[in-house]
Amino acid sequence: KTTIKELYIRKENYLNKKIKVNGWVRTVRASKNFGFIELNDGTYFANLQVVYDENLANFKEVSKLVTGSAIRVTGELVESPGAKQPFELKAESLEIEGHSAPDYPLQKKRHTFEFLRTIAHLRPRTNTFSAVFRVRSTAAYAIHKFFQERGFVYVHTPIITGSDAEGAGEMFRVTTLGFDKMPRDDRGNVDFTRDFFGKETNLTVSGQLEAEAYALAFGNVYTFGPTFRAENSNTPRHAAEFWMIEPEMAFADLQDDMDLAEDMLKYIISYVLKNAPLEMQFFNSFIDKGLLERLENVVNADFGHITYTEAIEILKNSGEQFEYPVEWGHDLQTEHERYITEKHFKKPVFVTDYPKEIKAFYMRMNDDGKTVAAMDLLAPGVGEIIGGSQREERLEHLGKRMDEQGLNKEEYWWYLDLRKYGGTRHAGFGLGFERLIMYLTGMTNIRDVICFPRTPKNAEF
Ligand code: 4AD
Ligand code: MG
């Protein structure tokens, strides 16, 4: 048994030989005494043309095959007389493993991405989604390769956690208590001491705090896992469940952090361009015309660097009419991020040193007392794809910041311990994996780069 990709890549090994392939029928053209089947097995864009005739024992049944059916074909691969394909398979036997019903939703025409989202279980059988998810797989491999080659230890941080890593409260609660049966105290608050863990727990919003603990033992670590956010934002860039890569380095500062992020991103892009060239050409032709040129430029140029304060100046002087006002102290909105990276720099840009009020409690306070050692990487077309920082390693400063943000220090006792016992400078970041895939493919909706997207009012599959 071979794959259709293998046939296209190493055709000379298979021509005029007997081969076996499996796949799903894309189209059938049946004539009275013979017919053609376009077969796809998910390994390649191009289909394999299968030719059959009355010599097939089940000729009549094969002639009635419809799109979507699963078949196995044995036969000889021969040069094709038609100009459309380099070869075709002359079927000697054809087994029907699974018939498809005539109402198969993926007929041979262009379907909108909106429609395909409603059949998320079938959309990987289309060329676009086949390419998206192959690139997703290749990019995941590139990320592991990048970190492993540099000696970073892959740590598996918990999915169920007892603390809020971002301090933002946007969490999915984990409970075994039925809603109606939740015991409550006098003030009507749920009494979690009687729940499974004996305390309030939630799905992780970030593995960072746990990664910090491991960085302070191993030096360099990274996580790569699912992350959950109950932010009720219905945007093309937010999902309630997404995957995040979070490296963390001990004895490192913000500059080291940005250097790592830039090296990593360039590595991933180069790896994907080299190892998924056909998919990338497909995106360049059908999804985003300038994609390949843009990505190649990103690999060959330095990323931009500005402070948040400079970004505010650029936006104020831009002459643009923004929907959200630009003011020092306010978070940058998507439109602002896109202006900076798409119109001003036209390449990925690090924005650093944000006001402490709009950033998480764990970021290191700068000497000005107003800003923190944060960095966001903004990318054209996507906006923020990385958020990171140098961490506050000074126990008193951290305690003060937690008080300011109204966090309960007792819940973070172990996190504070890390500052007590051999605390050191350290820094890390989080790369949103889906945002990266959007950036790599030119796809513009996060729902189209994750297999079964979880967004507000949407957990159908
Ligand atoms: O900027 P964020 O919230 O940073 C953190 O979680 C830090 N703990 C990371 C760290 O320093 N270790 O999230 C990091 C990245 C964002 O830049 C974005 O790419 C992605 O995660 N992200 C989302 N992606 C999809 N849907 C969402 N709702 C996302 N929220 C964040
Ligand atoms: Mg962020």
Side-chain angles (χ1 to χ4, degrees):
K1 180 187 154 281
T2 179
T3 65
I4 294 177
K5 179 175 188 175
E6 176 69 11
L7 297 181
Y8 273 92
I9 292 180
R10 273 176 283 273
K11 145 179 154 180
E12 60 288 352
N13 289 355
Y14 299 95
L15 265 182
N16 306 317
K17 297 207 176 106
K18 195 161 163 171
I19 60 160
K20 283 182 185 191
V21 287
N22 304 337
W24 290 269
V25 172
R26 285 270 174 102
T27 60
V28 188
R29 278 176 294 144
S31 306
K32 198 159 167 267
N33 310 319
F34 64 96
F36 298 99
I37 293 173
E38 294 292 334
L39 192 68
N40 192 281
D41 68 353
T43 60
Y44 204 67
F45 291 109
N47 300 322
L48 173 64
Q49 174 155 289
V50 177
V51 199
Y52 64 90
D53 59 27
E54 287 173 308
N55 291 324
L56 279 189
N58 52 353
F59 173 74
K60 282 225 169 73
E61 211 191 340
V62 169
S63 299
K64 283 187 231 140
L65 274 174
V66 296
T67 303
S69 306
I71 61 172
R72 285 195 289 160
V73 192
T74 307
E76 191 185 336
L77 193 73
V78 296
E79 303 252 15
S80 176
K84 266 181 76 188
Q85 59 280 321
F87 43 69
E88 60 191 27
L89 179 59
K90 279 174 75 177
E92 285 160 22
S93 75
L94 193 158
E95 283 168 67
I96 303 171
E97 285 240 353
H99 282 282
S100 184
D103 63 350
Y104 185 60
L106 287 176
Q107 293 304 329
K108 200 183 170 178
K109 63 167 194 152
R110 272 190 90 86
H111 297 290
T112 64
F113 291 159
E114 287 78 11
F115 168 70
L116 292 172
R117 274 174 223 147
T118 68
I119 48 167
H121 57 311
L122 298 174
R123 68 178 178 169
R125 302 184 192 185
T126 66
N127 283 343
T128 302
F129 289 92
S130 178
V132 165
F133 292 105
R134 279 202 299 262
V135 163
R136 191 177 160 118
S137 166
T138 304
Y141 184 67
I143 288 166
H144 282 296
K145 199 158 148 35
F146 174 84
F147 285 113
Q148 297 282 339
E149 280 170 1
R150 280 157 191 75
F152 282 62
V153 176
Y154 179 30
V155 297
H156 299 100
T157 51
I159 304 289
I160 300 176
T161 62
S163 50
D164 179 357
E166 291 299 303
E170 292 168 330
M171 299 174 299
F172 287 101
R173 297 283 134 69
V174 175
T175 172
T176 55
L177 302 171
F179 287 109
D180 44 338
K181 296 188 206 83
M182 284 184 177
R184 289 174 192 271
D185 62 18
D186 319 337
R187 310 229 294 308
N189 296 320
V190 174
D191 179 7
F192 283 100
T193 59
R194 291 164 62 187
D195 202 353
F196 190 92
F197 295 107
K199 67 169 291 193
E200 195 170 343
T201 50
N202 49 268
L203 297 181
T204 183
V205 293
S206 158
Q208 178 193 321
L209 306 192
E210 294 89 350
E212 283 184 54
Y214 273 68
L216 295 183
F218 289 98
N220 294 336
V221 301
Y222 72 106
T223 73
F224 190 164
T227 310
F228 308 86
R229 302 247 170 124
E231 30 189 5
N232 202 6
S233 24
N234 226 326
T235 81
R237 311 181 317 144
H238 289 89
E241 178 181 303
F242 62 98
W243 285 62
M244 186 151 61
I245 294 93
E246 296 186 277
E248 191 72 32
M249 298 180 287
F251 306 101
D253 62 16
L254 193 65
Q255 187 58 50
D256 299 321
D257 206 25
M258 291 189 284
D259 291 346
L260 179 73
E262 184 164 343
D263 288 349
M264 176 199 68
L265 213 57
K266 288 178 172 173
Y267 182 96
I268 301 168
I269 295 171
S270 307
Y271 188 88
V272 168
L273 288 173
K274 185 157 176 273
N275 292 281
L278 296 165
E279 286 80 0
M280 295 308 287
Q281 275 158 25
F282 173 88
F283 293 123
N284 194 58
S285 308
F286 298 108
I287 303 292
D288 180 353
K289 291 275 185 274
L291 181 71
L292 286 181
E293 195 189 337
R294 207 169 64 231
L295 290 176
E296 270 150 22
N297 288 340
V298 169
V299 173
N300 294 315
D302 291 337
F303 291 3
H305 283 268
I306 46 166
T307 64
Y308 166 89
T309 305
E310 288 162 351
I312 294 294
E313 283 311 304
I314 289 173
L315 292 166
K316 279 197 164 152
N317 298 330
S318 68
E320 294 275 317
Q321 281 296 85
F322 294 112
E323 193 186 333
Y324 291 90
V326 178
E327 211 175 313
W328 201 96
H330 289 203
D331 210 355
L332 299 179
Q333 301 297 322
T334 305
E335 54 174 347
H336 306 142
E337 295 178 344
R338 296 189 67 157
Y339 178 85
I340 289 168
T341 179
E342 285 165 30
K343 298 227 176 99
H344 192 85
F345 280 92
K346 301 189 174 67
K347 62 178 180 180
V349 191
F350 287 108
V351 181
T352 59
D353 307 295
Y354 285 74
K356 64 176 176 156
E357 286 80 11
I358 56 172
K359 286 292 181 188
F361 67 94
Y362 51 71
M363 297 191 180
R364 194 178 196 278
M365 181 66 75
N366 286 330
D367 293 339
D368 62 13
K370 286 191 245 164
T371 60
V372 288
M375 63 95 160
D376 276 5
L377 181 68
L378 313 181
V382 187
E384 179 192 334
I385 76 170
I386 286 177
S389 62
Q390 183 171 338
R391 319 307 187 187
E392 184 57 84
E393 82 282 13
R394 298 162 297 186
L395 190 56
E396 320 82 78
H397 283 78
L398 183 59
K400 195 164 152 262
R401 290 272 288 138
M402 294 179 78
D403 289 339
E404 276 174 18
Q405 300 206 0
L407 298 174
N408 180 356
K409 289 209 285 276
E410 277 163 29
E411 280 177 21
Y412 295 84
W413 65 272
W414 61 272
Y415 186 66
L416 294 164
D417 261 9
L418 301 173
R419 277 69 187 164
K420 229 169 100 186
Y421 307 126
T424 164
R425 270 180 317 135
H426 62 293
F429 64 80
L431 165 69
F433 191 48
E434 286 71 25
R435 302 242 178 119
L436 171 73
I437 303 304
M438 291 167 74
Y439 186 57
L440 289 172
T441 59
M443 297 293 283
T444 54
N445 196 310
I446 197 165
R447 292 163 182 79
D448 298 329
V449 296
I450 186 162
C451 297
F452 295 100
R454 302 280 172 262
T455 51
K457 303 278 178 290
N458 177 26
E460 176 70 21
F461 297 88

